[in-house]
Amino acid sequence: MQREPHLSNAALMARRHAAVARGVGQTHEIFVSRASNAEVWDVEGRRYVDFAGGIAVLNTGHCHPQISAAVKAQVDLYSHTCFQVLAYEPYVELAERLNALAPGNFTKKSIFLSTGAEAVENAVKVARAYTRRPGVIAFTGGYHGRTMMTLGLTGKVAPYKLGFGPFPGEVFHALYPNALHGVSVDDALHSVELLFKNDIEPERVAAFILEPVQGEGGFYVAPHDFVAGLRALADRYGILLIADEVQTGAGRTGTWFACEQWPVAPDLITTAKSMAGGFPISGLVGRAEVMDAPAPGGLGGTYAGSPIGCAAALAVLEVFEAEQLLARSRTLGERLTAGLRGIAASEPAIGDVRGLGAMVAIELFEGGDLARPDAALTRNVVAEAARRGLILLSCGTYGNVIRVLVPLTASDLLVDEGLSILAASFAALR
Ligand SMILES: Cc1ncc(COP(=O)(O)O)c(C=O)c1O
């Protein structure tokens, strides 16, 4: 069959809609032709500032030359053996590096998988194997992936869970604290106690799993007293604490793992997305004795911890050191927060500007009334910004949050350009 020339986004979108199932959503009707750091060009030659980073995957930017070079070198050596069949050093080195980075004054071990959902699945497997208990407590508004277990853990029905149940049993949801929407830390901790009373005794709970900052849920930051309260409950009842850092990890929040900023350490941490700068690999790092609970053969996967992913992840760690990206994450966060507060000063719809490090978001309400989340305005701003050359992503339980996940490697100039487009988009919709 003769290929159509790739002329327009519209023509390619028509082919996409005819050939690809509609369940795979589409935020922007744009086909990319190339990308570099925090800029993307579409098939029609239009340039965009990228504030989405492929949903938190590109903390080191598109096509970082050092990461691309590491991947190319790895591909020429060997691209696949399956680690369980023939081992390779990059996997071990990556495990050593992550074990050293993870917080907690105890020995750690790691495994690698391919996707964030797989990392979460394995966290649950490991926690159940160690505790020999079935229950898992997740939180409202949380997002953990699209496999059946991770959908069960996810605390938002539409669109992720619609029509896909039943999900695995013994999963319960407690309240995630959210001061803006009326859920205090006490309410949230009390809701865990209520689960113990109404649904499952604590002695049958293997783990709590939470995001240090909810990603898809709306960039709400878990307060330290909440995390400390959970840790205390976990210690009292022999429950494990899992930090799902698929979105928050790899330097997004100003530290490699967001939970480094917690007053307590989790037992297990999931990681994926930006850990390999655009190449598919995920990981699970945690207490050595917990990680060693499953018997040999119980963990792994054909592509799990692929050599290409490991090489990319090691290169990402080098880039973080060479370019001091953790410090950059903090200064970028300050710049974004100041810029967004500036926009909020003249846009009453923006009811909140929040975040941790460079994981920053704004939340929109009709006329600034915190009782009326404005999903329509959110959609319109995202669309208007794209027309003006800025790629944004929305999120949130009410679909009224705009999140910024611009590469940490983006220049101040480019970040300011993106912020100006956002301001102009709001102004155009007034
Ligand atoms: C916190 C969190 N956990 C798990 C996942 C699932 O990761 P993946 O899409 O790579 O399976 C995501 C993805 O957005 C996430 O944000």
Side-chain angles (χ1 to χ4, degrees):
M1 193 190 83
Q2 205 177 355
R3 283 186 174 277
E4 281 176 31
H6 290 194
L7 285 180
S8 72
N9 290 310
L12 285 169
M13 251 332 133
R15 280 175 56 198
R16 182 250 197 254
H17 286 308
V20 180
R22 67 186 188 133
V24 181
Q26 191 73 57
T27 309
H28 298 286
E29 303 236 316
I30 293 169
F31 270 80
V32 66
S33 68
R34 70 191 168 91
S36 172
N37 200 359
E39 291 168 288
V40 174
W41 288 263
D42 74 6
V43 288
E44 298 172 16
R46 286 204 63 197
R47 168 188 170 271
Y48 302 85
V49 176
D50 185 2
F51 269 21
I55 318 188
V57 170
L58 299 164
N59 288 352
T60 47
H62 289 275
C63 305
H64 192 291
Q66 209 172 320
I67 300 164
S68 297
V71 167
K72 285 174 191 161
Q74 183 59 53
V75 167
D76 285 341
L77 288 174
Y78 54 92
S79 61
H80 178 78
T81 64
C82 186
F83 185 73
Q84 298 109 283
V85 178
L86 291 177
Y88 36 89
E89 193 190 2
Y91 187 117
V92 178
E93 188 184 345
L94 186 59
E96 290 165 348
R97 296 291 302 273
L98 287 189
N99 294 342
L101 281 166
N105 191 18
F106 41 81
T107 310
K108 285 140 205 143
K109 285 194 174 182
S110 290
I111 58 167
F112 298 106
L113 301 310
S114 304
T115 66
E118 234 186 318
V120 174
E121 290 273 350
N122 278 273
V124 173
K125 283 168 67 176
V126 167
R128 283 181 169 168
Y130 178 74
T131 58
R132 297 175 181 273
R133 300 173 179 188
V136 185
I137 295 180
F139 293 89
T140 49
Y143 179 84
H144 300 285
R146 293 182 185 272
T147 58
M148 288 312 232
M149 177 46 116
T150 57
L151 280 177
L153 295 169
T154 289
K156 181 179 178 185
V157 175
Y160 310 119
K161 299 167 85 150
L162 278 184
F164 296 136
F167 305 108
E170 305 289 35
V171 172
F172 305 90
H173 288 95
L175 295 173
Y176 193 90
N178 188 330
L180 194 70
H181 293 280
V183 182
S184 70
V185 166
D186 281 350
D187 294 337
L189 289 172
H190 182 61
S191 74
V192 176
E193 304 272 10
L194 282 181
L195 285 182
F196 293 160
K197 203 182 265 302
N198 298 332
D199 294 288
I200 183 168
E201 66 273 35
E203 292 77 15
R204 286 185 66 247
V205 176
F208 296 118
I209 181 165
L210 81 157
E211 297 159 87
V213 183
Q214 287 193 328
E216 306 303 303
F219 280 31
Y220 301 107
V221 184
H224 286 180
D225 45 349
F226 174 63
V227 178
L230 272 189
R231 180 77 264 178
L233 285 172
D235 291 345
R236 185 180 323 151
Y237 296 114
I239 297 169
L240 298 173
L241 186 60
I242 305 171
D244 181 353
E245 295 244 18
V246 168
Q247 191 151 159
T248 50
R252 189 75 222 167
T253 67
T255 43
W256 181 260
F257 292 117
C259 64
E260 290 172 54
Q261 298 170 52
W262 284 0
V264 294
D267 301 292
L268 296 169
I269 305 170
T270 59
T271 176
K273 291 194 184 267
S274 275
M275 73 177 279
F279 294 90
I281 186 169
S282 64
L284 177 67
V285 50
R287 264 180 204 281
E289 73 268 24
V290 176
M291 291 293 290
D292 272 336
L299 304 175
T302 304
Y303 295 109
S306 96
I308 297 165
C310 291
L314 289 168
V316 165
L317 286 167
E318 278 171 27
V319 168
F320 260 79
E321 270 172 33
E323 301 182 20
Q324 302 190 328
L325 291 184
L326 292 181
R328 172 63 182 157
S329 178
R330 294 188 283 270
T331 54
L332 177 60
E334 285 160 17
R335 190 173 200 92
L336 287 170
T337 305
L340 293 170
R341 288 213 173 113
I343 298 173
S346 50
E347 295 298 336
I350 301 177
D352 196 31
V353 179
R354 61 170 174 272
L356 193 65
M359 191 166 177
V360 186
I362 52 177
E363 183 157 355
L364 310 190
F365 300 89
E366 286 174 42
D369 176 354
L370 298 187
R372 290 187 294 153
D374 200 339
L377 177 61
T378 307
R379 275 193 304 275
N380 291 342
V381 170
V382 170
E384 181 63 26
R387 278 192 286 277
R388 291 167 178 268
L390 173 67
I391 302 299
L392 291 173
L393 280 176
S394 63
C395 62
T397 304
Y398 307 101
N400 66 328
V401 178
I402 294 176
R403 53 177 154 173
V404 180
L405 291 161
V406 62
L408 307 176
T409 45
S411 68
D412 284 346
L413 203 66
L414 205 84
V415 170
D416 291 349
E417 184 186 344
L419 288 168
S420 306
I421 297 174
L422 180 60
S425 306
F426 270 105
L429 293 167
R430 245 182 249 148

